[in-house]
Amino acid sequence: MDTHTQVSGMLEKIERVRQARRKKFYLRDEHITLSHGSGSKATHNLIEGIFAPAFSNPLLDQMDDSAVFTLTQTSETATAMRMAFTTDTYVVSPLLFPGGNIGTLAVHGTINDLAMAGAQPLYLSAGFILEEGFSIAELRKIVEAMAQAAQNAGVAIVTGDTKVVQRGKADGLFINTAGIGILRDNTLRGQNRLQAGDKILLNGPIGDHGIAIMLAREALDIESTIESDSAPLHTLVARIMQVAGAGIHCMKDPTRGGVATTLSEMAMASEMAIVLEESAIPVRPEVRGTCEILGLDPLTIANEGKMLVAVAEDKAEQVLAAMREHPLGREAAIIGTVQPEPAAMVFMNTDIGGKRVLDMLVGDPLPRIC
Amino acid sequence: MDTHTQVSGMLEKIERVRQARRKKFYLRDEHITLSHGSGSKATHNLIEGIFAPAFSNPLLDQMDDSAVFTLTQTSETATAMRMAFTTDTYVVSPLLFPGGNIGTLAVHGTINDLAMAGAQPLYLSAGFILEEGFSIAELRKIVEAMAQAAQNAGVAIVTGDTKVVQRGKADGLFINTAGIGILRDNTLRGQNRLQAGDKILLNGPIGDHGIAIMLAREALDIESTIESDSAPLHTLVARIMQVAGAGIHCMKDPTRGGVATTLSEMAMASEMAIVLEESAIPVRPEVRGTCEILGLDPLTIANEGKMLVAVAEDKAEQVLAAMREHPLGREAAIIGTVQPEPAAMVFMNTDIGGKRVLDMLVGDPLPRIC
């Protein structure tokens, strides 16, 4: 198959998946609700109903967390470079929580979106919206932690912007970070590239971030030692790419909407089925207990230091071993398998011997988690 | 002078200017005020007091609107590419105004920051913060205009993010755009590169954006035909770079804080004086009249389709002619000259034969102008 055929085949597939998604997502609402920001079905309805058709282009249409492209410069000698570019806005409440703050989260989150694309994160931008009256001492604390997080991860914040709005027109502080990185190899990866037989790997216990945020809110009076798992995953990614290279078909971090939503996105984009083993999915007892008390499903709770990886079957054990040697993958596990049918579905074989269909998060049990 | 000496010379100069700025700017406030967002002295105090020292690195420390750097990829064959990266958050109120809306402004503003760095803008990211209850019809209108603005300018919005906050925790809609572009040549430009004898060029009448926004606010009952000058300047930049190449020492768009603040930044960063001729500065009669009524100075009012260019004396007339041939430069003018002394000052020879010192905007006469 020559390159032209490959590309047009890929574009056709993107278009087919896009059409299918359009059918699946309807935007019926007249006003924005909190659900539209939860990473749930409502978020997808909004994106597919407004943003995706308006901004449509082959890079955006893939709907991965980063755009990946080749830049070509022809000014003197022609050079080409494969890059990733991503953005995320952070509106987490409260601004400070066990395990981090809005600033460290903004650094880790954007590093992770680049890392999931197989890129080495290099440079971040930072855009701040401040509410009139916000404490400068608190801002300093957050900014210094943010700078430390960037330095620890080996990225530089190279450009920024600050805006202020009147009291009551924001909530203290919102931060946007965008980031660019250079692709570590030339393999095409993405949520539409799962293959039958792939193993789904997860680097550790789920739900810590969402539960830590929820418990940090004053309304709930539950004592807990749970900390956000917020962490930069790029060195873990570099390690597993070294081990398995083109055998890694997709990496995606289960943030808003949790593991269930992220795997649903992968299954839909790839037109594949994913079958999980509940017993294999690591969840801390404290997170599980809190979820039970509050009627939440750990599989829909946000994470900020976790990744789901679809790996070719013959490389899965090697990747698992490499993950477990890394500080952010000590409790890594193979949690599922990719199958050709039924396309675009996620199932879970439950602990009690049943089979459950997993879908995207509906509604928003935990607004402003990131 | 070899490359090493050049680089260390530049770093020394950056450090010297940085130290000088530190002395000039003091952050004494305990809480954020609207002035901190106005692009004024207070904004500089905040940036120099918190952001600059925390995030300090050679790229950020230059404090240009874009970071400019060379990316090197060594995976197969070593390739290098000079790029620009920038971000801006938009909180303009009202969201729709004569001549544009928050979405078109977010596209033009980020294109312009890249263009001012001498880059061809390529890709934008878009991060949305939506307030619960915001009208989906209005969102659609803004997003479609934004998409059209990007298409008209030949850039693609390739990655995005949407967050929602509770009613009363934002003001309808805030948008962040970040952007990347490829440098059109290898000339080093920036606000610290003005040279004695340079001419200062401006591409047209000032103050339209700020006055259009202010008059669009319901509180003021002044009838007007003034529209925002919001426009993408990258094709104008490409044209003048073609004409004058390395003769263009600095390009900067006088947005928040207006021409006076932007020229002050250039004079300070370059340790040069700038002398303006008031009679040469184009201002529409309607803008001048509105400023007089409201006690504002057109030189401190924000623009979104204007640029200030420092050009080597022997290229100034050619650049002026090229500007005037471009739709966005019909009323271009040479408005001033760069002199070695007194360093870091901006003066204006006034229409009535006097001499006035121009300084950065102080306070915020027009909050949330962009």
Side-chain angles (χ1 to χ4, degrees), chain B residues 202 206 259 276-283 288 299 333 335 348:
Chain B
L202 171 67
I206 60 171
V259 167
L276 301 181
E277 298 300 325
E278 185 171 22
S279 59
I281 302 171
V283 186
R288 193 184 297 282
L299 287 163
I335 64 164
M348 184 164 72

Side-chain angles (χ1 to χ4, degrees), chain A residues 30 32 49 54 57 73 76 88-89 133-134 136 140 147 157 161-163 166 169-170 176 186 256 368, chain B residues 30-32 49 54 57 76 88-89 133-134 136 140 147 157 161-163 166 169-170 176 182 186 256 368:
Chain A
E30 289 184 7
I32 294 293
N57 60 64
Q73 189 168 42
E76 291 173 5
D88 257 321
T89 302
F134 188 67
I136 288 197
R140 190 186 298 276
I157 295 169
D161 178 56
T162 308
K163 292 286 168 7
Q166 299 91 336
K169 300 295 185 186
N176 174 285
N186 287 318
R256 280 186 296 179
R368 299 178 58 190
Chain B
E30 288 186 8
H31 295 94
I32 293 292
N57 60 65
E76 290 174 6
D88 257 321
T89 302
F134 188 67
I136 288 198
R140 189 186 298 277
I157 296 168
D161 179 55
T162 308
K163 293 286 170 5
Q166 299 91 336
K169 301 294 185 187
N176 175 284
I182 298 185
N186 287 320
R256 280 186 295 178
R368 296 179 60 190

